[in-house]
Amino acid sequence: MSLDVVTEPDLHNELVLDKEAAAALFLEARTANNWATGEIADETLQAVYALTRMGPTAMNIQPLRIAWVRSPEARERLAVHMNDGNRAKTLTAPMVAVLSYTTEWHELLPTTAPHMSKMVPSFESNPDVRKLMAVNNAHLQAGYFIMAARAAGLAAGPMTGFDAAGVDNEFNADSPSTSFMVVNLGRPSDVVDRARLPRLEFDAANVTL
Ligand SMILES: Cc1cc2nc3c(=O)[nH]c(=O)nc-3n(C[C@H](O)[C@H](O)[C@H](O)COP(=O)(O)O)c2cc1C
């Protein structure tokens, strides 16, 4: 296995993005454990959300909910629920986002999908379907979120190594939201702390029928 998409001669001929954008979003962007110093402005967070929300979800349900954890006090409350290997970087990242899904997305259907409003009672009585759709579509939105952060010039460090029940107790009490991912964010650092792991070749992960 190799990872030579960066130098793949024909790749850039197939893209509508310029090389710089393809590098920033996909080819050179790395999952981050270190960041340059400097605060992340509220305007940057709003830009990340403005891009994230445009990614498609089933029926446009948009179940992702984001808690931006900026203050040292809130950061400490989050860090105690992170796995040991994730705690230090969650304390030191310039910004941290707790991503949750809401199972009550159906209540907003009159706004998000007015043509589906008549379905609200049937979703109300079907919590299992609501949860499945919430989990699947919030994870899709988490992918958009990571790419949106990169598009806004940030490096993201997504993590699922944390005690979700503990985080929900701290940040989602009395809400229908459940945490599923924590993402550290900051301006990219020059520190490369590990080599890129291999990606699967086309033939290992694709079939053309
Ligand atoms: C859903 C998800 C959960 C992850 N959980 C953790 C984690 O708990 N701790 C950690 O150090 N890295 C975690 N990672 C980081 C991955 O190992 C990393 O994104 C992957 O190896 C690709 O690294 P690269 O972008 O530098 O190529 C997670 C990544 C994703 C997308």
Side-chain angles (χ1 to χ4, degrees):
M1 271 192 296
S2 66
L3 175 66
D4 271 337
V5 283
V6 180
T7 52
E8 194 85 47
D10 296 334
L11 174 64
H12 288 291
N13 295 338
E14 301 299 325
L15 305 181
V16 296
L17 298 174
D18 62 32
K19 284 188 177 182
E20 197 176 81
L25 293 176
F26 294 98
L27 300 175
E28 288 175 17
R30 294 293 309 276
T31 297
N33 294 318
N34 305 282
W35 297 270
T37 51
E39 292 235 332
I40 310 299
D42 285 344
E43 288 76 8
T44 306
L45 310 185
Q46 286 161 13
V48 170
Y49 180 67
L51 296 183
T52 299
R53 68 178 183 171
M54 298 313 293
T57 53
M59 281 178 7
N60 200 33
I61 63 173
Q62 304 170 67
L64 180 68
R65 298 293 179 267
I66 304 169
W68 298 100
V69 183
R70 190 202 286 283
S71 74
E73 175 269 332
R75 199 69 73 84
E76 292 285 348
R77 282 166 54 213
L78 174 62
V80 295
H81 302 293
M82 302 305 296
N83 287 5
D84 289 347
N86 291 334
R87 188 165 300 120
K89 54 191 173 185
T90 302
L91 283 168
T92 54
M95 179 56 72
V96 182
V98 175
L99 307 190
S100 299
Y101 62 84
T102 177
T103 52
E104 305 303 293
W105 50 262
H106 62 300
E107 292 176 354
L108 290 175
L109 273 184
T111 302
T112 56
H115 62 293
M116 301 297 288
S117 292
K118 60 183 180 309
M119 296 287 290
V120 171
S122 93
F123 284 123
E124 180 69 41
S125 59
N126 209 332
D128 291 348
V129 166
R130 292 209 317 272
K131 180 172 178 184
L132 184 65
M133 290 181 67
V135 170
N136 287 347
N137 285 278
H139 278 81
L140 268 181
Q141 289 188 284
Y144 308 144
F145 177 89
I146 292 166
M147 304 313 288
R150 291 175 173 181
L154 302 177
M159 299 168 291
T160 48
F162 64 96
D163 170 17
V167 169
D168 290 337
N169 215 24
E170 289 286 346
F171 297 98
N172 285 330
D174 304 321
S175 104
S177 296
T178 303
S179 60
F180 66 94
M181 196 181 297
V182 176
V183 186
N184 291 330
L185 296 157
R187 303 276 165 210
S189 131
D190 293 335
V191 178
V192 179
D193 56 358
R194 66 209 185 285
R196 179 85 96 169
L197 291 171
R199 266 34 173 200
L200 298 176
E201 297 294 351
F202 185 90
D203 289 347
N206 297 261
V207 61
T208 307
L209 303 170

